[in-house]
Every structure is written in structure tokens, then in C-alpha cells.
Amino acid sequence: MAVEDSHGTPVDTARAAKDAMLRRFYNRAQITGQIKLPAVPSMVDEYVSMCSSVFAGLGKPFSDTELAHLKDALTGELAAAYAASPRSHIIISYNAPIGPSLNYNIRAEWTTISEAYERWLATRTPPLFGTEPDARVLQLATEAADPATHHVLEIGAGTGRNALALARRGHPVDAVEMTPKFAEMLRAEADRDSLDVRVIVRDVFAESDDLRDDYQLIVLSEVLTDFRSTQQVRSLFELAARSLTPGGRLVFNAFLACDGYHPDDAAREFCQQVYSSLFTRDDMATAAAGLPLELRSDESVYEYEKAHLPDGAWPPTSWYIEWVSGIDVFRTSREESPIELRWLVFERTR
């Protein structure tokens, strides 16, 4: 049966009745739910879009005014969460009583980097980072004529994968680690094997006079992947310029943007949330400007480690290949990923 509405347009009364009933049906729903996402301030419009779709799908569509208010609330919480830690989330809880309205609450949640890694210890099966030292680090160390006089500083030593291997070669090693449980494990193994490893538990950039000024090698493996700014890289270069002897080298790995890719704020922020802090080669040049440090090599971590690790040691972990290839950030192939983890070696020139 069809009738006409007030404008003379034919109306399918059965369809109209069904639609009216469905509106009432959805109003009778009692709904609770939660959305949890990494805190990425520059992607606030994506959070709004997701919420809009979810709420509309539940029969509780938001007006433009309501969405604008939601965006304002999200903007503030995202900024607070991201500023607190790169291991931060936004949690959007929502509920709807019987009726047309939907209520929501937004809160930020975060942990420190140290707490995040301690959680790894509690939830992941060792070895956390592989069993072998990094091939690039070991290759640089083997160039020393006398390991006993070739002092090494490792920053962010973790449980000692590199530091212990270098000490077993005869290098005196200072290992700085800010996660107390990692430092405890490292110290215990060094003591057990009577290795020359001095463990320092602190943030390496905190003021202190416990570092030498004649290191021949400074190592950071999978550490700049947690840096938050080019200024932190500058602080590292300044530390290296103070602490390396002339001719000494600084080796670290970092995610770099591939040629032709210019990351925006959203990409940089999301990279930090997945242990993949991103820099450009211009960032590196800016951070090193005016310091007595020269870039000596720039190599793919994937290619170098795959070619030089001992038989059976590749890949170091189940997650390693996708991570070093940037696939934890960009859902694509390794060949098409716009970022890659690279080994960079700088030498103090004077």
C-alpha cells in the first residue's frame, strides 16, 4: 500500500512503518563499548571519523556540533597523552541508556619507556632482542688492535647482548641502562663471568661525571628508535664529541626516511608509538652541525645483519624483519616501505 506525503510524493507505508519501528528498536538498545588507540595528536580527525562511524552504526549518530565537541575533547587528551610518553593511548568509553542519546568519556593512559620494557620481561619469551651481538657493532670492535685498551660505552645496553660480547673479547665496557631490571640482569651475568663491565643505571643525558672522555667506541643499538626529537639526537652527538677520543667512533641504528619521502607530523608521531622513531638525513646533519663528527657509513640494518650474522642467527627475533623494514608503521612490502632502519657510523675527527 502506498500513500502520498504532504508534498505529494508516494510513500511505501510498509517501508515507512519498518523504518519508524527500527528507529524505536535502536532507541531500546543499551550499549557499552570502548575504543583504545595509540595517542597520535596529528591524527585527531581519524579518531573523530572512527567514533562517528561507530556511533552511527549503533543507531546513535552525532550531529556536526556534537562531533566538533568530541574533537575538542580529543585534541586536549591526545596532546596530554603524547606529551607524557610515546607509550600512550587514548581510551574512548561509551554507553547508551534506553533512548536516543549516547554518553562518552575520554581518558589518556601511558607508561614510561622503562615501564614498557619491564612489561616485555613479564610477557615475552626470552631472548628479547636475539642471542647474538649486532654484527655491525662486532665488526667495528674487531678493528681494535688491542681490545684491552679499546674502551667501549654502550648506551641503552638492555640485558647485555652487545656489552657482554664485547667484554668477552677483552674490551673494558661501560654500560648505561635506564631500565633497572635490565641493568640487574646485565650486572648479574657480567659478575658471574668476571667480565669487565661497569653498569650505570640512569638516563645517559642526566647530569653526571661518571663517563670517560677517551672511549674508542660508543654504541647505541635499538635506542634512537625511542628518541622523541632531533634535539635528543643533538644531545647524543654532543655527548659523543665530549666522550670519544679523536678517531673514536659512534655507531647507532635509526629509522631514516627514504629518498623522496617527507614525513609529516602524523607519521613522526605514530612512528614513536611503535618503537620506530623517524628521522631524515637532514635531521641528522642538523643535529651534528658544528661538532667534530663526520659520517663514515650509512648502511641498511636488514642487509648488513642478514649478510654478517652467524648461521642460524637470522633473523634475531620473530618480529625483527618487519620492524627494521618499517612495516610496523606502514602496511606494505619491505621494498615499498618509505622508511628503513639504518646503521650510521660517525667518527670524531679532532
Side-chain angles (χ1 to χ4, degrees):
M1 175 182 176
V3 296
E4 294 183 350
D5 63 14
S6 58
H7 301 288
T9 304
V11 175
D12 184 330
T13 54
R15 179 69 260 177
K18 181 66 175 291
D19 289 345
M21 184 181 71
L22 286 175
R23 289 193 293 272
R24 179 58 67 186
F25 173 77
Y26 281 117
N27 281 348
R28 299 292 296 177
Q30 300 179 62
I31 299 165
T32 61
Q34 185 180 92
I35 300 169
K36 182 175 181 179
L37 286 168
V40 184
S42 295
M43 296 179 71
V44 63
D45 288 336
E46 298 299 325
Y47 298 81
V48 174
S49 177
M50 179 179 290
C51 289
S52 177
S53 297
V54 169
F55 298 165
L58 296 172
K60 314 289 182 177
F62 269 30
S63 67
D64 289 345
T65 299
E66 289 170 323
L67 290 175
H69 185 269
L70 172 65
K71 181 174 181 177
D72 286 343
L74 280 166
T75 298
E77 292 296 331
L78 284 167
Y82 182 77
S85 172
R87 303 293 174 266
S88 54
H89 290 83
I90 285 295
I91 299 173
I92 306 162
S93 302
Y94 54 87
N95 68 85
I98 293 177
S101 63
L102 181 143
N103 307 310
Y104 63 85
N105 175 264
I106 302 169
R107 66 182 175 90
E109 176 184 86
W110 63 80
T111 60
T112 66
I113 291 174
S114 182
E115 289 169 340
Y117 282 118
E118 288 189 1
R119 188 175 297 167
W120 278 30
L121 285 173
T123 59
R124 298 196 179 195
T125 302
L128 298 181
F129 305 101
T131 58
E132 297 293 325
D134 291 305
R136 188 70 181 101
V137 172
L138 205 58
Q139 187 277 326
L140 289 169
T142 58
E143 295 178 8
D146 181 7
T149 62
H150 197 88
H151 291 266
V152 178
L153 169 64
E154 184 174 17
I155 299 170
T159 57
R161 183 170 52 90
N162 286 316
L164 295 169
L166 293 170
R168 290 188 177 103
R169 291 195 72 256
H171 296 274
V173 178
D174 286 348
V176 179
E177 174 53 52
M178 65 184 295
T179 302
K181 288 187 179 179
F182 282 177
E184 180 182 337
M185 295 169 67
L186 170 54
R187 183 182 288 113
E189 188 164 352
D191 290 347
R192 185 195 67 198
D193 295 344
S194 300
L195 297 173
D196 189 358
V197 179
R198 181 169 65 113
V199 181
I200 302 167
V201 187
R202 67 175 177 88
D203 181 345
V204 75
F205 297 125
E207 288 292 331
S208 182
D209 59 359
D210 53 5
L211 300 182
R212 304 172 64 98
D213 61 3
D214 62 348
Y215 295 108
Q216 280 85 8
L217 181 64
I218 296 179
V219 176
L220 294 92
S221 177
E222 303 175 14
V223 173
L224 272 78
T225 52
D226 280 322
F227 275 21
R228 306 206 68 187
S229 67
T230 304
Q231 181 55 50
Q232 280 186 288
V233 183
R234 175 69 179 187
S235 295
L236 169 63
F237 285 147
E238 290 173 343
L239 183 151
R242 293 192 306 270
S243 302
L244 284 171
T245 191
R249 287 170 294 185
L250 165 69
V251 57
F252 61 85
N253 48 26
F255 279 98
L256 296 183
C258 297
D259 291 343
Y261 174 57
H262 304 286
D264 59 13
D265 289 344
R268 290 180 183 264
E269 291 166 5
F270 184 51
C271 281
Q272 288 188 20
Q273 290 283 15
V274 289
Y275 302 84
S276 305
S277 294
L278 177 60
F279 300 96
T280 66
R281 287 178 173 81
D282 285 345
D283 291 336
M284 291 294 168
T286 297
L291 297 173
L293 297 168
E294 292 291 337
L295 179 63
R296 296 305 190 204
S297 69
D298 176 347
E299 299 169 282
S300 163
V301 168
Y302 176 93
E303 299 291 351
Y304 193 97
E305 298 300 309
K306 183 179 181 182
H308 294 92
L309 280 173
D311 290 344
W314 176 262
T317 67
S318 61
W319 46 263
Y320 191 82
I321 290 177
E322 289 197 351
W323 178 64
V324 302
S325 302
I327 298 173
D328 282 5
V329 183
F330 300 95
R331 191 173 180 179
T332 184
S333 66
R334 190 179 73 82
E335 293 75 17
E336 295 182 354
S337 174
I339 69 173
E340 181 186 28
L341 196 66
R342 307 283 297 183
W343 280 120
L344 302 182
V345 179
F346 285 79
E347 181 177 324
R348 182 178 170 185
T349 56
R350 64 181 186 276

